[in-house]
Amino acid sequence: MSKVASGIVSSQKEPLLTPELLSQLERLELVSRKIFRGRMKGERRSKRKGQSVEFADFRNYVAGDDLRFIDWNMYARLDKLFLKLFMEEEDLHFYALIDGSSSMEFGDPSKFHYAKQLAAALGYIGLCRADRVKVEMLDSSPTSSAPVLRGKGNLWRMLQYLDGLQAGNNCTLAEAVKSFSLRNSGKGILVLITDLMDKSGYESALRYLVARNLDVYLIHVLSQPEIDPDINGDLRLLDCEDGDVAEISVSQRLIDRYRQTLARYIEEAREFCARRGIVYMMTSTERPVDRLVSRYLRQRGLVR
Amino acid sequence: MLGPMGWILLGLVPPMILLLYFLKLRRMPLEVPSTYLWTKTIEDLHVNSIWQRLRNSLLLLLQILLALLLLLACLGPGCQGQKLAGDRFIHLIDQSASMSATDLPGGQTRLEFAKQEAAKLIDSMDSGDAAMIISFSDRANVQQSYTRNRSLLKRKLAEIQQTQRSSDIGEALLAASGLANPGRTSDRESERDVQVADALAASLIIFSDGAVKDVANFSLGNLAPEYRPVGALDVPNNVGITAFAISDDLDSVGLQAFAQIQNSDDEDHSVDVELYVNGEIHDLQNAFEVQAGDTRGISFDLSGLLDGLESPLPVRLEIKDPDVYLLDNVAYGTIQPPRQARVLVLTRNNPYLQYVFETDRLAKLSQVEFKEPGFLQTKEYRDNAMLGVYDCVIFDQCIPEAMPQCNTVFIGSVPPNDQWQASEREFPTLVVDTDDSHPLMYNVQMGNVLIIESTRLSGPQAMVTLMESTAGPIMGVGPRGGFEDLVIGFPIVEYSDQGEEAHNSDWPNHLSFPLFVQNVVIALGGGARFDANQGTRPGELVNIRTVVPSSTITVRDPEGETVSLGSRGDRRFVYGSADSTGIYSVIDQASNREQQLFPVNLLDPRESNLVVREKLEVGYEEIAGTVESIPETRQFWPWLVLFALIVLILEWFIYNRRVFI
């Protein structure tokens, strides 16, 4: 079996994040469409009025309010008690979940590497904004070694962790997400990076996430050979995860049908996500990570 | 049969299929991220999968097609075509009587078969080829001159009709060679000797049973002849009448009918022969044996029929046993009422003539008057001569002032007109030649006859010299309008003014003299008692002479169709539509009675002999027949191989491009 033919090339030498990308990412921040109560005070502007230096509004004093926030200048001028409201700045939970199944190893660069790059990029944005960042590979095991990181200085730890990840952990998406959900209770943004190639279906996994009331982003990564297969002749296709075999005689008609099937599959996933408030995005490994983050994810509102 | 090429190709088929099998059926294993989408894709196709698969396996279909084509090519298919070489063809189709024989399988006539075969050849012509169709019996008909229009050729071919005539290919060959061998001026040495046209070589294809006269003095030149015999290969069963005559020997036996029955089969046959007179059976002969390839005579007694006979009687002889050629199973004849020739002899007491006319035989044939030359001056003679009372007038050393309206014989004198000239009498006269074929000289032997003096004769252009001496013609017969004048340049008995008798010849002492006089009475006096008219054959012109002057006559053919004829002068009529055998009648328009009957018979032993000739003789060449038409297998396998190659290329293209058309 030729790895070239199957498109499996590991270009692990390529660094997950380049300095150019890092400087680009530093100017971005993660945006949640939902308001979450942070655990710690962070740099994130919360919808809650809080104690940051940024002025937000005035309101009338009512009994029991903290006297420290009374605007005495206003009282002197108007002889009325006004309470000064400040913007609250909080931290945010950011989870990046990487599908680690064998199928992710395909493509050049491999989908897995692409997923790690993307996770690192988004994680770095979170670290820069002092969010609680957790990058994790999906796993059905009840424990996880993934560190919870915070602060720009922890970038190296994140990268070190990502570098150590190896694909080939074949569990179903649903099991892995369920395990994750049990272990992590924090609310916030969750980005699931997967190729959705799970024969048992992705629907239940996404339902778990929706039930957690997370702000879920699904990034569907496909390699170019999957989108536009360039194969000839009579082939016996071997599934790398479960060894399943499909015998095909490649014809233009078959290729056309495959494309139709893929398009339908993507459309189904998009629709499923749209109904459940999940932001779905399909990307090819050909699309550079920086462009994906700075343009496409920005359009979808994940970063700004 | 497979040629070496075929075997090589056959040997190539299995490895080729094997190669294609490897190319196609050994599926390459390929690891993919997931078969999920592929399985989903195939699932759709699995619905009525076998047909779907077949429908989509264009490659498989092409491979099967390729293998089939190659196998088919190896079998060397071809069709039995007929190849015509050259680009100009002349089809000569025999339409003579013998072509009506139904000896071919299915009862097809030879002519139909010939037309079919010719049509096949016309079909196999290349588009640029031109062909010409000539049909022939005893004459030739150019049915269609050179054309490339095949439908026209086939239409003209279908229009060729069966005739009842004999066959003579000579005229057809002349017509055919007209374009192939254009004529030149006669003088080759002359500067004006120019070739009239470019010679156009052509293939000459003769469809005939070969029952044709061999053609002498004909050069085929640029014609490439091919003879295709038409007819059954084994000898056909045919017994036919090849001769039929009714005659009276004027002796004791009386009137008799004679016939010849020919058996051209290779087996003996016994046939029933019946003779009908006036439509009723008169006589028959059962189980008449004719041996294989033999001819036998048969005779019937008709005596007694002449007594009191006033109008002519039709006679029909019929072989009752059917065979493949029916035309010669019937022969026709007539019995004419007895009629004596009226002969006037103007002589100065020539005893020998008197003796001859007194014989029983001539007395039966003729009613003779002897007169002195002085009778010429009488009114009775003039009236009778002008009215045509006499059938024949014999002028023995006398000359009339004007020629009578009848046949004449001049002995020792010449007719009083410019056409006949006689020289001075010359001595000696030695007879060197006589025309034995002429009816007047029939059975007349002149070898021992002594003639002392004779004049040399010169007559009209159409004069036939009957007797020639060392000096020149001494006896001749020439036409005069509708009559004939026989001029004998020497007298037999001369009389001096004193009445002395001097013999110029000893002819009267020989048997040939009464025979000659009898021939004169029969031929010039119309003295035959009945006229079987056996000479008239289908397609020939019939000369009819009426007894009484008439401007028009009506002729009724055997089918009952009538045609009116206008006179050509001198009570003579010419009838040209006697195309089929049978008895034709001349009807007197005034009385509506059958005045004359004349039979038309083919009676041709050559046509009756249905054995197909293996070769034709044309000039100095013999054209051997190709008994079976030359089959030429048209090979298709090169085309199949070519097609297979195209399929292979297409297959390769599709395999590589994954293109569906």
Side-chain angles (χ1 to χ4, degrees), chain A residues 1 6 199 231-232 234-240 244 247-249 252-254 257 261-262 265, chain B residues 24 27-38 40-42 44-45 52 55-56 658 660:
Chain A
M1 186 179 73
S6 64
K199 282 176 186 157
I231 49 178
N232 277 335
D234 301 301
L235 299 172
R236 165 186 291 192
L237 302 181
L238 289 170
D239 192 314
C240 64
D244 186 27
E247 290 195 340
I248 58 164
S249 294
Q252 190 57 44
R253 190 180 149 78
L254 186 75
R257 279 203 89 91
T261 309
L262 179 67
Y265 187 66
Chain B
K24 180 171 169 57
R27 295 184 185 274
M28 298 260 291
L30 178 69
E31 196 167 51
V32 290
S34 175
T35 53
Y36 181 57
L37 288 175
W38 288 111
K40 276 186 96 167
T41 304
I42 303 168
D44 293 343
L45 297 173
Q52 291 271 2
R55 194 155 63 90
N56 294 329
R658 298 198 316 250
F660 266 129

Side-chain angles (χ1 to χ4, degrees), chain B residues 561-581:
Chain B
E561 305 265 323
T562 55
V563 61
S564 286
L565 301 177
S567 171
R568 306 188 59 169
D570 314 328
R571 302 183 292 175
R572 286 201 317 155
F573 299 87
V574 176
Y575 180 63
S577 311
D579 282 327
S580 53
T581 61

Side-chain angles (χ1 to χ4, degrees), chain B residues 65-102:
Chain B
L65 183 63
L66 176 69
L68 281 178
L69 283 172
L70 287 179
L71 286 172
L72 208 61
C74 290
L75 290 175
C79 77
Q80 293 274 308
Q82 289 178 358
K83 173 94 175 142
L84 285 178
D87 53 4
R88 299 177 84 86
F89 305 97
I90 302 170
H91 300 278
L92 291 193
I93 316 279
D94 188 349
Q95 55 174 173
S96 66
S98 59
M99 294 293 281
S100 69
T102 54

Side-chain angles (χ1 to χ4, degrees), chain B residues 414-571:
Chain B
V414 290
N417 56 29
D418 300 338
Q419 290 182 323
W420 288 94
Q421 304 289 338
S423 69
E424 289 298 308
R425 282 164 63 159
E426 290 166 5
F427 171 85
T429 302
L430 294 172
V431 177
V432 292
D433 194 19
T434 54
D435 185 354
D436 296 336
S437 65
H438 197 276
L440 283 168
M441 300 303 283
Y442 186 59
N443 281 341
V444 176
Q445 295 292 328
M446 294 299 286
N448 50 359
V449 173
L450 188 69
I451 299 166
I452 299 168
E453 284 183 342
S454 175
T455 55
R456 266 187 293 115
L457 296 172
S458 66
Q461 270 195 326
M463 181 189 86
V464 177
T465 304
L466 297 179
M467 199 184 298
E468 213 168 357
S469 75
T470 46
I474 56 170
M475 180 156 71
V477 62
R480 168 172 54 87
F483 306 111
E484 283 186 302
D485 300 320
L486 170 66
V487 180
I488 303 167
F490 54 94
I492 297 161
V493 183
E494 287 178 299
Y495 298 93
S496 65
D497 293 340
Q498 288 76 32
E500 288 172 358
E501 200 179 279
H503 287 254
N504 187 40
S505 169
D506 66 346
W507 196 13
N509 299 340
H510 294 279
L511 184 60
S512 55
F513 186 66
L515 285 172
F516 175 71
V517 176
Q518 183 187 317
N519 288 345
V520 168
V521 170
I522 290 172
L524 298 182
R529 300 186 61 175
F530 29 77
D531 186 6
N533 260 335
Q534 288 138 5
T536 310
R537 297 174 130 199
E540 287 181 358
L541 292 180
V542 185
N543 278 301
I544 301 165
R545 217 173 132 184
T546 54
V547 181
V548 290
S550 167
S551 61
T552 57
I553 58 164
T554 303
V555 178
R556 185 162 62 202
D557 67 14
E559 277 82 44
E561 305 265 323
T562 55
V563 61
S564 286
L565 301 177
S567 171
R568 306 188 59 169
D570 314 328
R571 302 183 292 175

Side-chain angles (χ1 to χ4, degrees), chain A residues 47-86:
Chain A
K47 297 236 166 148
R48 228 164 20 155
K49 302 293 177 287
Q51 295 172 347
S52 71
V53 291
E54 208 168 330
F55 172 76
D57 204 355
F58 295 100
R59 70 169 167 84
N60 289 332
Y61 172 78
V62 291
D65 280 337
D66 194 341
L67 296 179
R68 286 179 293 179
F69 296 113
I70 292 175
D71 190 342
W72 299 111
N73 292 333
M74 289 287 278
Y75 179 70
R77 225 183 301 157
L78 300 172
D79 200 18
K80 278 186 180 172
L81 284 173
F82 284 100
L83 217 58
K84 232 163 111 180
L85 298 181
F86 293 94

Side-chain angles (χ1 to χ4, degrees), chain B residues 222-509:
Chain B
N222 289 320
L223 290 173
E226 188 183 325
Y227 165 45
R228 304 225 171 167
V230 179
L233 291 177
D234 49 343
V235 179
N237 154 36
N238 185 41
V239 180
I241 305 166
T242 54
F244 182 55
I246 298 169
S247 71
D248 184 355
D249 64 357
L250 305 174
D251 296 326
S252 56
V253 183
L255 191 64
Q256 277 193 308
F258 302 97
Q260 267 187 348
I261 311 278
Q262 174 182 292
N263 178 6
S264 61
D265 200 355
D266 54 359
E267 288 170 22
D268 299 350
H269 281 279
S270 81
V271 291
D272 297 342
V273 187
E274 294 180 355
L275 182 77
Y276 295 83
V277 174
N278 208 8
E280 289 169 6
I281 190 155
H282 181 81
D283 200 355
L284 60 87
Q285 193 152 353
N286 281 333
F288 183 71
E289 294 275 348
V290 192
Q291 297 198 329
D294 199 10
T295 303
R296 263 190 79 190
I298 185 171
S299 66
F300 295 93
D301 184 20
L302 295 171
S303 57
L305 282 175
L306 286 176
D307 300 338
L309 186 65
E310 292 197 346
S311 60
L313 288 177
V315 179
R316 187 170 90 242
L317 184 70
E318 215 174 312
I319 297 175
K320 298 305 275 186
D321 305 69
D323 49 34
V324 296
Y325 178 51
L326 295 174
L327 192 65
D328 64 356
N329 286 14
V330 189
Y332 301 93
T334 54
I335 304 172
Q336 305 285 358
R339 178 176 164 273
Q340 288 178 313
R342 285 199 68 177
V343 181
L344 174 67
V345 184
L346 295 165
T347 178
R348 291 176 64 188
N349 195 25
N350 184 336
Y352 302 108
L353 281 173
Q354 285 187 13
Y355 297 152
V356 168
F357 277 105
E358 278 166 17
T359 58
D360 283 352
R361 199 175 178 88
L362 278 179
K364 275 187 183 177
L365 283 171
S366 62
Q367 188 186 344
V368 69
E369 274 180 71
F370 280 88
K371 298 283 185 190
E372 289 284 322
F375 184 66
L376 283 170
Q377 311 302 323
T378 63
K379 186 176 183 295
E380 186 191 356
Y381 164 76
R382 284 196 208 102
D383 290 350
N384 286 350
M386 289 311 291
L387 284 172
V389 169
Y390 305 112
D391 290 309
C392 181
V393 181
I394 298 174
F395 299 95
D396 185 12
Q397 300 169 72
C398 56
I399 301 167
E401 287 169 5
M403 295 298 284
Q405 291 296 312
C406 61
N407 297 325
T408 59
V409 180
F410 287 82
I411 303 173
S413 57
V414 290
N417 56 29
D418 300 338
Q419 290 182 323
W420 288 94
Q421 304 289 338
S423 69
E424 289 298 308
R425 282 164 63 159
E426 290 166 5
F427 171 85
T429 302
L430 294 172
V431 177
V432 292
D433 194 19
T434 54
D435 185 354
D436 296 336
S437 65
H438 197 276
L440 283 168
M441 300 303 283
Y442 186 59
N443 281 341
V444 176
Q445 295 292 328
M446 294 299 286
N448 50 359
V449 173
L450 188 69
I451 299 166
I452 299 168
E453 284 183 342
S454 175
T455 55
R456 266 187 293 115
L457 296 172
S458 66
Q461 270 195 326
M463 181 189 86
V464 177
T465 304
L466 297 179
M467 199 184 298
E468 213 168 357
S469 75
T470 46
I474 56 170
M475 180 156 71
V477 62
R480 168 172 54 87
F483 306 111
E484 283 186 302
D485 300 320
L486 170 66
V487 180
I488 303 167
F490 54 94
I492 297 161
V493 183
E494 287 178 299
Y495 298 93
S496 65
D497 293 340
Q498 288 76 32
E500 288 172 358
E501 200 179 279
H503 287 254
N504 187 40
S505 169
D506 66 346
W507 196 13
N509 299 340

Side-chain angles (χ1 to χ4, degrees), chain A residues 13-256:
Chain A
K13 286 167 189 162
E14 195 186 326
L16 289 174
L17 295 173
T18 57
E20 295 79 28
L21 181 59
L22 286 175
S23 63
Q24 203 179 342
L25 294 173
E26 278 168 8
R27 296 196 297 271
L28 297 171
E29 68 172 313
L30 296 167
V31 180
S32 171
R33 293 165 299 165
K34 296 177 179 174
I35 300 169
F36 300 112
R37 182 177 288 270
R39 289 207 183 147
M40 295 174 71
K41 193 172 160 57
E43 289 186 4
R44 180 160 301 281
R45 180 184 293 169
S46 171
K47 297 236 166 148
R48 228 164 20 155
K49 302 293 177 287
Q51 295 172 347
S52 71
V53 291
E54 208 168 330
F55 172 76
D57 204 355
F58 295 100
R59 70 169 167 84
N60 289 332
Y61 172 78
V62 291
D65 280 337
D66 194 341
L67 296 179
R68 286 179 293 179
F69 296 113
I70 292 175
D71 190 342
W72 299 111
N73 292 333
M74 289 287 278
Y75 179 70
R77 225 183 301 157
L78 300 172
D79 200 18
K80 278 186 180 172
L81 284 173
F82 284 100
L83 217 58
K84 232 163 111 180
L85 298 181
F86 293 94
M87 299 301 286
E88 177 74 323
E89 289 187 335
E90 294 177 329
D91 67 348
L92 183 75
H93 283 278
F94 175 78
Y95 301 103
L97 289 182
I98 302 172
D99 184 356
S101 62
S102 306
S103 62
M104 290 293 284
E105 276 188 288
F106 283 83
D108 180 23
S110 77
K111 291 186 278 184
F112 190 61
H113 182 73
Y114 189 83
K116 284 200 284 189
Q117 275 186 314
L118 187 58
L122 293 173
Y124 182 65
I125 297 171
L127 290 178
C128 291
R129 296 293 172 176
D131 290 328
R132 286 163 54 88
V133 173
K134 186 169 188 180
V135 177
E136 193 178 328
M137 191 173 82
L138 282 175
D139 195 349
S140 56
S141 68
T143 57
S144 169
S145 57
V148 179
L149 305 169
R150 190 185 170 94
K152 219 168 160 180
N154 284 318
L155 174 64
W156 67 273
R157 283 185 63 197
M158 184 176 74
L159 293 180
Q160 196 178 32
Y161 171 74
L162 284 173
D163 271 336
L165 290 181
Q166 286 294 329
N169 193 352
N170 293 330
C171 59
T172 64
L173 207 57
E175 276 176 36
V177 169
K178 187 179 171 188
S179 162
F180 168 81
S181 301
L182 288 173
R183 279 185 278 111
N184 300 281
S185 57
K187 301 212 183 318
I189 300 171
L190 186 140
V191 177
L192 176 60
I193 308 169
T194 175
D195 55 4
L196 288 183
M197 293 296 171
D198 190 336
K199 282 176 186 157
S200 59
Y202 53 84
E203 291 87 351
S204 54
L206 294 183
R207 279 196 198 100
Y208 280 120
L209 296 177
V210 171
R212 283 280 316 281
N213 201 19
L214 289 163
D215 191 3
V216 182
Y217 287 82
L218 174 61
I219 297 181
H220 189 183
V221 183
L222 287 175
S223 60
Q224 198 57 30
E226 284 173 298
I227 295 168
D228 188 12
D230 182 22
I231 49 178
N232 277 335
D234 301 301
L235 299 172
R236 165 186 291 192
L237 302 181
L238 289 170
D239 192 314
C240 64
E241 289 184 21
D242 55 7
D244 186 27
V245 169
E247 290 195 340
I248 58 164
S249 294
V250 180
S251 62
Q252 190 57 44
R253 190 180 149 78
L254 186 75
I255 296 288
D256 289 344

